[in-house]
Amino acid sequence: MPLNTVALSVALTPAVISTFFSHYLHRKSLHHKPSVHIEYDEGVRIFREFLAYSAKHSVEDLQSFTSQRVPNPHWVRTEMVTIPTQYLSSAATALIDQLGPKGLSQVGGKEWWQWRGLEDELKGEWVEMRNDYNERTRTRKIHGIHPSQKRIMFYIHGGAYYFGSLETHRYQMQRHARKLKGRVFARALSMFDAAAYRLAPQFPFPCSLHDCLAAYLFLLKEHKPEEIIFAGDSAGGGMALSLLCILRDQGLPLPAGAILISPWVDLTHSFPSIVKDNPGDYIPPYGFRHKPSAAWPPPNSDEIEAIKKGLGKRPATEDGTQEAIPPTGSQAQETAVKGYSVLENPTAKESMNAAKEPVNPRILIDGKTVEIKDQIHMYTTNQLLFHPLVSPVLQPSLGGLPPLQILSGGGEMLRDEQFYVAHKAANPTAYPPSDAFLDEYDPEREVLHKYPGTHVQLQVWDDLCHVATTLSFTRPAKYMFRSIAQFGAWALACAQQTEIEILDDTEISPISSDSSEDPDKPANAPQSESSKQSVASVGKAGDRLPPFKERMIRQRVDKRGHIYHLEPQASYPVLQIPSTQVGTINPELVKKWLAAKKEWDVKYAKDKLHVQRQRIKELAQCFQQDFVGEVPPPSSLAARRSAPGVMPSRGGRKSYPMTMWSNWASRHDERSLQREHKKEKEGQSRRTSVEAGRAGACMKATDADNGVSPDKEQDTSDETKSSETRTEEDVSRRLDDKSSSPMILLPPYDEKRFTEENASTQALFHARGTIASTSDLSMARKQRPVSQAGSGTIRSGITSHVADDTSTLGDRSLAVTNTGVDAASTRAVRNSVGVVGLINDGDSAYRSIDFYSIRRDSGDLETTSLGERTTEGDISRTVSRPGMADREFYKTAQEHPVA
């Protein structure tokens, strides 16, 4: 059956029905798993069945299906832009410098991957909330720059490098834009030509990396790097990590941070979790396979070598290609069908590792050496699977990068490599590649010891599948989106050294339980599970990150959004894997792959032979006349672009299944926007500000204490590690113990200028800037506050002359008003240690408070620990405190807590 709406509905309906009945029959056994939610259970099953069904179709069919048009909701605004060729040229130059002469030789040249097909343009699309766009347009006319212009997410979607598009991921991007109150930018797919968005295998490595780099350079035209964060899922997460390494090594501006959602960072599949039983994941255990077609698979390595030898003797003719085509019934034809050969008597341990192997991976299986001659991955050739830009886990160092958030599903196949790469980024010298890789890509060990460790927040989500955000309508995914918004806002605030206001969507975007989950734990819950206490919870926009410890925030998150500490690093076997094993193809996975491949080879043997013979003719015809002196990968369109009929165009058909899926996934966002709009009308809309906080202070302190020279950063002795740990802990402690100067933090209201004597507190509450108080007691005695217009000043401990209009409360001086904030003078405010206002005063939407670093038991305020300086945008807002029957009107200085 074809891959269309009707056929897909027929194929998926039985799976949906069977999952529904199975879910409720076995609901008790699912209580501690995310699949206890019926929507999550159905979503994983639909993905699994869709990939199994698409395997019976060609790569082109899947690409065409996932590139169909999906209309965006009316409350989402999109804008298509064209990236000028100058950025493509600049990106190509940087990529050529990064690859170097040897890398270019392995890739096959420097021209073919810059060819874009029939359409030479690279397009991108902006995604944002329509209300945010309208507000930004109005604000730009009056004040200039709107805050959303400083919150840019560059999103790189996944899809194993060969399928998927912006159309399939827009519903996720729009939620990122809504929660961040910013804009999301992504490479776009042209509706009329597949070449506008370059996917493997037609456009293999480094085509997509070139596009991403050009798109980022385009963003830098109008935005500062500290206003941009990267985000990517699966293959997009791995590509984002490789892109960061290029920017670092080439001295290009780095973004504020990066969010990697289930990143695919090891295309050699060398980690143990890839071969374990992973029932909670939807990725096929044997990898991706498809019906043979003109796009996939390409001729095997033996056939390619035969083509090259034949072309070296004579021009490409019909007769000249016959030598490359294996004779019927020969051993070569059998190898062409199977895609591998077996060496009965291996001369050495042939397990593939590093780049010293020529072309074909050789794996020792059951005492026999299997030489794989078919191309394994669509993204690149077998030889380049071990390149650091293809498998970032093999980078000499992942240090020197902006802060990373790595989100990993505890039930996915790729969890080990994600866990490993997070620790490698934080401590590069503790997890170096093997000597063979270093000799190849960093012979002097310069890169390994050059960069300091990267600050990483690692979150492992219990039992979740690969890229759980694709199931955005499920409860666990909603928690993950909140965590992403929290980290994104923090990274932007840290890079911009200011506060970032984001939506406090606790009320407008509630995460409610469904009928499948009981609110309480069952009585027979395991003791180990019930005895553990969570240390925090995700889901509150604006919460600060906890302090980094050894450059890491290591967290485990359950299906209810509760956060727990991960066990010590020594308790994880994946972190004890020797470096020589990382980057070595897993023999167990090869056995699974060969078994699944055999089934497909038998089923589609004739189709494969027919396709390969046609491809051999096309390659032989084009190798001599296209890209002279270069050898593009055999799967690429560039290798056979002159052959007739190899570049079909596609129309912009609408996909009804993907539209239904997108609408289902967008319901939560639509309801949240409706609640937000309603609360704005009622004057109850809440915003919260995010700043660098303790995590940012720890990050800056460790970088500063490690010295100016990054070369000294990577001393991995126990003394150095403990010193870094003490530094971060000391910074966190200093933030608690440090007494900050009293100050009032005021939000922007208008551009009026006020003097110290004639401005009322009401006006100051709405003015831009801060008011500093005199912290020196001797100065306070000389500058005795004068009470004016019904305001009072509490001066106990500061002056012995108590005015008639003052009262004494505790041992601190406070500015007090009991007749409304309009009557309080600036002088009384400026010379006091604090401000006491009416709790039920509705004149101002924001309240300004000052902070003390002394620990108190009261918890009536949400406060922020400040340093000695406060930026113009620092704002803090009080919240109501329950249980104040005896003092329902005033808050005192003793009630001010510490963050």
Side-chain angles (χ1 to χ4, degrees):
M1 295 179 68
L3 188 59
N4 56 32
T5 301
V6 176
L8 192 61
S9 301
V10 172
L12 296 183
T13 299
V16 172
I17 296 175
S18 64
T19 302
F20 179 83
F21 287 105
S22 174
H23 175 86
Y24 287 102
L25 288 175
H26 305 92
R27 184 171 54 180
K28 291 185 178 179
S29 62
L30 302 175
H31 185 83
H32 295 288
K33 297 184 179 296
S35 51
V36 69
H37 307 285
I38 180 63
E39 292 181 335
Y40 181 90
D41 204 6
E42 290 279 15
V44 172
R45 182 66 184 275
I46 288 174
F47 268 114
R48 188 182 295 130
E49 294 299 322
F50 172 77
L51 292 176
Y53 181 74
S54 65
K56 302 175 183 178
H57 298 80
S58 66
V59 168
E60 295 95 326
D61 290 338
L62 179 59
Q63 291 176 337
S64 178
F65 182 83
T66 57
S67 65
Q68 294 178 94
R69 183 171 57 90
V70 178
N72 54 280
H74 65 88
W75 38 268
V76 174
R77 183 184 184 274
T78 61
E79 179 185 358
M80 187 78 70
V81 296
T82 299
I83 298 175
T85 55
Q86 66 188 74
Y87 300 104
L88 290 168
S89 300
S90 300
T93 300
L95 194 51
I96 289 172
D97 292 340
Q98 182 74 13
L99 288 170
K102 188 168 185 177
L104 289 174
S105 176
Q106 293 175 324
V107 167
K110 63 179 180 180
E111 297 292 338
W112 70 263
W113 47 267
Q114 299 185 52
W115 174 71
R116 306 192 57 81
L118 297 179
E119 186 172 333
D120 290 334
E121 295 179 336
L122 173 62
K123 297 183 182 296
E125 183 176 289
W126 288 103
V127 180
E128 60 183 324
M129 297 296 101
R130 190 170 296 276
N131 288 340
D132 293 342
Y133 168 77
N134 295 334
E135 181 182 348
R136 177 166 55 86
T137 303
R138 290 192 300 266
T139 305
R140 186 168 50 192
K141 294 178 180 178
I142 301 174
H143 300 290
I145 299 178
H146 187 266
S148 65
Q149 284 289 86
K150 296 185 177 182
R151 305 171 201 167
I152 307 299
M153 174 182 284
F154 177 35
Y155 196 92
I156 308 173
H157 74 75
Y161 295 107
Y162 78 95
F163 71 95
S165 67
L166 189 149
E167 305 291 338
T168 60
H169 287 71
R170 189 184 289 112
Y171 72 93
Q172 301 174 51
M173 299 178 196
Q174 67 195 31
R175 183 169 298 183
H176 291 308
R178 179 180 69 83
K179 286 186 170 292
L180 201 59
K181 300 294 288 185
R183 309 175 72 197
V184 178
F185 184 79
R187 299 174 302 163
L189 173 66
S190 171
M191 295 181 183
F192 306 106
D193 200 307
Y197 184 90
R198 302 194 295 173
L199 293 173
Q202 298 94 328
F203 293 94
F205 171 83
C207 294
S208 295
L209 196 57
H210 176 219
D211 290 351
C212 288
L213 182 55
Y216 176 65
L217 296 179
F218 168 75
L219 290 177
L220 291 179
K221 180 185 70 171
E222 296 183 355
H223 301 278
K224 298 177 181 178
E226 58 267 21
E227 299 172 356
I228 304 171
I229 56 173
F230 287 178
D233 64 88
S234 190
M239 193 180 299
L241 191 56
S242 294
L243 183 58
L244 291 174
C245 292
I246 294 175
L247 298 175
R248 176 199 66 185
D249 295 343
Q250 298 303 314
L252 297 172
L254 287 164
I259 300 163
L260 311 180
I261 308 168
S262 298
W264 186 17
V265 294
D266 178 25
L267 271 68
T268 67
H269 294 312
S270 57
F271 288 90
S273 63
I274 198 73
V275 295
K276 292 182 179 178
D277 185 24
N278 302 292
D281 204 5
Y282 53 78
I283 298 179
Y286 44 78
F288 296 101
R289 58 183 182 179
H290 288 278
K291 178 182 178 181
S293 65
W296 185 261
N300 63 40
S301 59
D302 290 345
E303 294 164 340
I304 297 299
E305 288 300 318
I307 292 175
K308 292 179 180 179
K309 290 178 181 179
L311 293 178
K313 298 178 181 179
R314 55 188 170 274
T317 63
E318 184 69 23
D319 295 335
T321 61
Q322 294 303 316
E323 291 185 6
I325 300 177
T328 304
S330 64
Q331 181 67 30
Q333 186 184 64
E334 182 183 352
T335 301
V337 172
K338 294 192 304 181
Y340 65 93
S341 60
V342 178
L343 306 179
E344 297 291 342
N345 299 310
T347 58
K349 294 182 178 180
E350 300 285 359
S351 183
M352 177 78 173
N353 190 311
K356 291 186 177 180
E357 294 285 345
V359 176
N360 300 324
R362 295 182 178 182
I363 298 94
L364 191 63
I365 301 178
D366 300 332
K368 298 179 181 179
T369 299
V370 176
E371 182 178 6
I372 300 177
K373 299 188 177 183
D374 270 359
Q375 186 171 321
I376 300 173
H377 286 297
M378 300 185 199
Y379 183 49
T380 190
T381 60
N382 293 343
Q383 184 186 18
L384 285 173
L385 293 178
F386 311 91
H387 195 282
L389 293 180
V390 174
S391 297
V393 74
L394 301 177
Q395 281 281 345
S397 172
L398 290 175
L401 303 179
L404 303 178
Q405 183 187 43
I406 299 179
L407 306 171
S408 177
E412 65 172 300
M413 295 175 62
L414 307 182
R415 60 185 179 274
D416 278 354
E417 62 191 69
Q418 297 156 6
F419 197 84
Y420 186 91
V421 83
H423 290 81
K424 175 185 175 74
N427 194 354
T429 55
Y431 305 95
S434 66
D435 290 338
F437 283 105
L438 288 174
D439 291 342
E440 180 75 15
Y441 298 105
D442 189 24
E444 302 297 329
R445 309 305 192 258
E446 179 183 359
V447 176
L448 177 63
H449 298 284
K450 181 178 182 180
Y451 301 105
T454 300
H455 287 80
V456 180
Q457 181 190 26
L458 170 65
Q459 287 188 338
V460 180
W461 296 69
D462 287 354
D463 299 314
L464 283 194
C465 64
H466 183 64
V467 193
T469 51
T470 56
L471 306 175
S472 63
F473 44 82
T474 64
R475 188 180 183 189
K478 293 174 184 176
Y479 283 122
M480 189 172 286
F481 274 105
R482 286 189 173 184
S483 178
I484 292 170
Q486 176 191 356
F487 180 88
W490 172 85
L492 291 169
C494 197
Q496 299 175 22
Q497 298 183 358
T498 185
E499 288 187 346
I500 298 295
E501 183 188 71
I502 62 174
L503 179 68
D504 186 353
D505 61 353
T506 307
E507 296 180 1
I508 69 168
S509 182
I511 300 178
S512 59
S513 175
D514 58 38
S515 59
S516 300
E517 182 183 20
D518 299 329
D520 301 320
K521 289 187 176 183
N524 59 350
Q527 181 66 25
S528 59
E529 183 73 20
S530 59
S531 61
K532 294 180 181 179
Q533 297 296 326
S534 63
V535 296
S537 61
V538 298
K540 186 175 181 182
D543 286 350
R544 299 186 203 161
L545 297 183
F548 288 95
K549 183 177 181 181
E550 296 182 358
R551 293 194 178 87
M552 291 197 74
I553 300 173
R554 305 170 68 252
Q555 298 172 329
R556 179 178 67 84
V557 188
D558 66 11
K559 65 185 179 69
R560 296 180 178 88
H562 300 151
I563 294 178
Y564 305 83
H565 290 305
L566 284 173
E567 299 296 329
Q569 299 181 22
S571 62
Y572 291 94
V574 65
L575 298 180
Q576 317 306 321
I577 294 177
S579 60
T580 54
Q581 186 175 332
V582 178
T584 301
I585 294 179
N586 196 314
E588 293 299 320
L589 180 63
V590 174
K591 291 175 67 175
K592 287 185 177 181
W593 178 71
L594 291 177
K597 189 174 183 301
K598 182 179 180 180
E599 177 187 355
W600 243 233
D601 291 339
V602 172
K603 185 173 183 179
Y604 298 109
K606 293 182 179 180
D607 299 86
K608 184 177 180 181
L609 284 175
H610 173 74
V611 166
Q612 286 185 324
R613 287 173 179 173
Q614 181 63 32
R615 291 288 295 274
I616 289 172
K617 295 178 181 179
E618 295 172 353
L619 290 173
Q621 179 180 355
C622 302
F623 267 4
Q624 284 187 325
Q625 46 187 300
D626 296 335
F627 307 107
V628 177
E630 298 192 358
V631 184
S635 69
S636 66
L637 283 178
R640 49 195 177 93
R641 67 172 182 172
S642 299
V646 299
M647 297 187 61
S649 61
R650 301 191 182 100
R653 294 182 302 168
K654 178 180 177 180
S655 173
Y656 291 96
M658 290 198 301
T659 300
M660 293 174 58
W661 181 275
S662 177
N663 291 339
W664 187 19
S666 301
R667 285 187 304 172
H668 175 76
D669 298 286
E670 185 174 14
R671 288 194 290 261
S672 297
L673 287 173
Q674 292 172 353
R675 283 189 288 263
E676 180 184 3
H677 184 64
K678 180 180 179 181
K679 287 187 175 294
E680 284 180 349
K681 281 188 173 181
E682 297 172 353
Q684 300 178 4
S685 180
R686 297 176 57 184
R687 297 289 187 271
T688 184
S689 295
V690 181
E691 64 174 14
R694 298 182 183 178
C698 290
M699 186 169 63
K700 292 181 180 179
T702 51
D703 291 343
D705 291 343
N706 282 324
V708 178
S709 174
D711 295 334
K712 299 179 181 179
E713 172 62 30
Q714 300 302 322
D715 182 4
T716 57
S717 63
D718 294 338
E719 181 179 355
T720 303
K721 291 182 181 179
S722 61
S723 174
E724 293 178 358
T725 305
R726 287 196 302 270
T727 298
E728 293 175 339
E729 292 175 350
D730 291 344
V731 170
S732 180
R733 187 164 50 251
R734 287 200 301 269
L735 289 171
D736 284 339
D737 299 338
K738 187 175 180 180
S739 179
S740 58
S741 301
M743 58 184 64
I744 299 175
L745 310 178
L746 305 171
Y749 178 69
D750 53 33
E751 301 297 330
K752 296 180 181 179
R753 296 180 178 272
F754 301 97
T755 63
E756 297 180 1
E757 299 296 332
N758 63 6
S760 69
T761 304
Q762 173 69 18
L764 287 173
F765 276 160
H766 296 290
R768 178 173 296 178
T770 62
I771 300 179
S773 293
T774 304
S775 58
D776 190 326
L777 295 182
S778 63
M779 293 295 295
R781 294 189 184 96
K782 295 178 182 179
Q783 300 175 354
R784 177 173 179 246
V786 178
S787 173
Q788 298 180 8
S791 65
T793 304
I794 303 175
R795 305 180 183 84
S796 177
I798 294 184
T799 176
S800 59
H801 303 285
V802 181
D804 294 336
D805 58 350
T806 65
S807 61
T808 302
L809 181 64
D811 59 353
R812 299 190 180 278
S813 175
L814 300 173
V816 182
T817 174
N818 56 8
T819 59
V821 292
D822 285 309
S825 71
T826 303
R827 173 170 294 193
V829 174
R830 281 180 54 80
N831 295 283
S832 63
V833 183
V835 179
V836 175
L838 296 174
I839 290 180
N840 61 351
D841 180 15
D843 294 336
S844 176
Y846 295 87
R847 306 178 193 277
S848 298
I849 60 174
D850 75 330
F851 300 83
Y852 296 93
S853 296
I854 304 174
R855 294 192 176 276
R856 299 172 178 84
D857 296 332
S858 175
D860 58 319
L861 300 177
E862 291 182 343
T863 63
T864 305
S865 296
L866 301 176
E868 295 182 355
R869 295 184 180 180
T870 305
T871 60
E872 182 178 272
D874 287 340
I875 301 170
S876 181
R877 175 176 51 79
T878 63
V879 295
S880 60
R881 172 191 173 190
M884 292 187 64
D886 55 338
R887 288 181 285 115
E888 64 180 48
F889 293 102
Y890 297 101
K891 298 189 290 293
T892 67
Q894 283 76 12
E895 294 178 305
H896 296 176
V898 181

